[in-house]
Amino acid sequence: MKIYFLCRKMMALIILMFLQMYCFAQPKKCKSPTINLQSQQRAETWAAQRNPLAVNKLVRVYFHILRSDAGGSDAATITQINEEFNDLIEDYAPYNICFANVGFDYINSTDINFNLDPDVQADVNMLLPFLVPNCINIFYHRGLAGYGGNAYDIPNTFCSIDDGNIGLWRTISHEVGHCLGLLHTFEPVHGEEYISGTGCTTRGDRVCDTQADPYTESACFSATTCNYTGSCTDPSGATNYNPPYQNIMSYWGAEGCTVTNFTTGQYARATSFLETDAGLLNTVSPATVTAGAGTVSSGYYFRTARNSITINPTLNITGTAISSLQSQSVTVPPGFQALPTSGSTTIKATCVY
């Protein structure tokens, strides 16, 4: 009896370990961020008066890799960060939004790495001291209280990604999309969208070229092989949904679909936020930049431009300074020195529109 009891306990332990491995290793969905309605109104007013499609953007991003208090348990590798950044470039390139990766760092904090809960404001506040100015900050964690990612607010200049979602469902582009003002394609806050497109500028995700999305947490649909069948109804009672299976701001990746793209309307919306939101405006690069004279020995020194950067020959980057100079064209004159002792300097051409 004793042997049988021990075996039964061992079997229970094995089953528990299996369930933990299976459940916690599964990719997770994004937490729906809070929408800043005033910022949304400004962006939509701007878009109604101008042509967002005529604008090119170069946006600075900075990566943070969480670790344990003593180091180790890294939430991401440098290879993964580079792959994530490449996905970001690829997904936004068709719409002339490009990104400059101006750096990364490690943050040693077991609590932030494993235990951050996006639903607890005190937890979210722990990220604030690590925000690098004038960038969209992307944090990688080993645990986000069951979420795959979160942008916290729409729009915003920081977001978080669970390590289990690295490389999955274009999570980085999805969360950065929220930072740039994009809503879920099934967004319920403004009212459910009509399949016919009626009122598409004020309902759902407020973007007219994304199809009405019936995705909910309830079981009113089946999406086997991304072929929708279900009883979901729009506000008029219509049921002939043709969901946006491939859209990056949808949840259809969780149903086995391959998410691959944004729409022109989503690009226009993102651009309108980049033109009007105070925080995002600071992340956007001008057309041309001159990197000034003098010595930079500490802190951050970022100069990015859509077209060209001219470096003053007397500029010296030394000490612990973390610097990045990125544009289509970077002119490096004789006399310029970038010799940080423990910081880093990146000089490269990027983003040919």
Side-chain angles (χ1 to χ4, degrees):
M1 288 295 293
K2 187 175 182 180
I3 294 175
Y4 172 77
F5 177 71
L6 289 174
C7 290
R8 187 170 60 181
K9 285 183 65 177
M10 185 175 294
M11 183 61 70
L13 179 60
I14 292 171
I15 292 172
L16 177 61
M17 292 174 62
F18 172 80
L19 289 174
Q20 288 177 327
M21 291 174 60
Y22 179 79
C23 293
F24 295 110
Q26 301 309 298
K28 309 172 188 74
K29 297 173 185 175
C30 154
K31 171 177 164 55
S32 293
T34 302
I35 302 168
N36 184 323
L37 298 179
Q38 291 181 330
S39 182
Q40 178 172 264
Q41 181 61 54
R42 286 193 297 269
E44 291 178 350
T45 299
W46 182 91
Q49 298 170 350
R50 295 168 178 81
N51 178 16
L53 302 180
V55 181
N56 297 339
K57 296 293 182 187
L58 176 62
V59 180
R60 289 179 290 275
V61 295
Y62 194 93
F63 293 91
H64 304 274
I65 301 172
L66 272 300
R67 303 194 294 194
S68 64
D69 289 341
S73 299
D74 298 22
T77 66
I78 301 305
T79 297
Q80 287 175 318
I81 293 297
N82 290 334
E83 290 171 348
E84 291 275 280
F85 180 68
N86 289 338
D87 285 347
L88 196 62
I89 291 286
E90 179 181 340
D91 292 339
Y92 285 87
Y95 309 98
N96 288 342
I97 295 178
C98 196
F99 298 89
N101 177 3
V102 295
F104 77 94
D105 61 20
Y106 294 101
I107 300 171
N108 290 359
S109 172
T110 299
D111 276 349
I112 301 177
N113 193 16
F114 287 93
N115 304 318
L116 188 136
D117 186 343
D119 291 320
V120 177
Q121 188 58 49
D123 283 12
V124 180
N125 290 345
M126 290 193 295
L127 299 175
L128 303 184
F130 300 103
L131 296 183
V132 175
N134 305 323
C135 300
I136 292 179
N137 291 255
I138 305 170
F139 293 86
Y140 285 84
H141 309 255
R142 293 289 295 272
L144 274 177
Y147 295 114
N150 188 20
Y152 304 100
D153 292 295
I154 299 175
N156 203 6
T157 56
F158 67 97
C159 60
S160 290
I161 296 173
D162 182 271
D163 70 328
N165 275 53
I166 293 175
L168 294 173
W169 306 341
R170 313 306 267 196
T171 296
I172 183 172
S173 298
H174 181 109
E175 298 306 334
V176 170
H178 283 318
C179 288
L180 300 183
L182 300 184
L183 309 179
H184 288 134
T185 52
F186 55 88
E187 181 59 54
V189 168
H190 302 295
E192 192 178 349
E193 208 169 345
Y194 288 91
I195 294 173
S196 66
T198 300
C200 58
T201 60
T202 59
R203 288 178 167 269
D205 66 352
R206 303 169 80 90
V207 175
C208 288
D209 62 357
T210 58
Q211 307 102 303
D213 191 345
Y215 195 97
T216 65
E217 297 298 331
S218 62
C220 69
F221 66 84
S222 172
T224 305
T225 65
C226 299
N227 182 22
Y228 170 82
T229 58
S231 57
C232 303
T233 57
D234 77 357
S236 70
T239 59
N240 58 321
Y241 279 102
N242 179 29
Y245 295 125
Q246 280 75 47
N247 197 279
I248 289 171
M249 299 311 297
S250 77
Y251 270 6
W252 291 100
E255 307 304 324
C257 306
T258 302
V259 293
T260 58
N261 63 274
F262 295 107
T263 67
T264 301
Q266 287 172 317
Y267 159 67
R269 182 178 174 90
T271 300
S272 69
F273 276 85
L274 285 167
E275 286 281 347
T276 58
D277 180 75
L280 291 177
L281 277 167
N282 290 330
T283 72
V284 178
S285 308
T288 60
V289 164
T290 298
T295 297
V296 180
S297 60
S298 63
Y300 300 102
Y301 186 79
F302 299 145
R303 296 294 183 270
T304 58
R306 296 195 311 274
N307 299 330
S308 64
I309 294 176
T310 301
I311 301 175
N312 189 296
T314 62
L315 175 64
N316 294 313
I317 300 174
T318 65
T320 60
I322 298 173
S323 60
S324 182
L325 302 104
Q326 299 185 41
S327 182
Q328 288 188 51
S329 171
V330 181
T331 301
V332 182
F336 163 66
Q337 294 188 64
L339 299 169
T341 56
S342 60
S344 62
T345 298
T346 299
I347 303 174
K348 71 175 184 178
T350 186
C351 298
V352 178
Y353 293 102

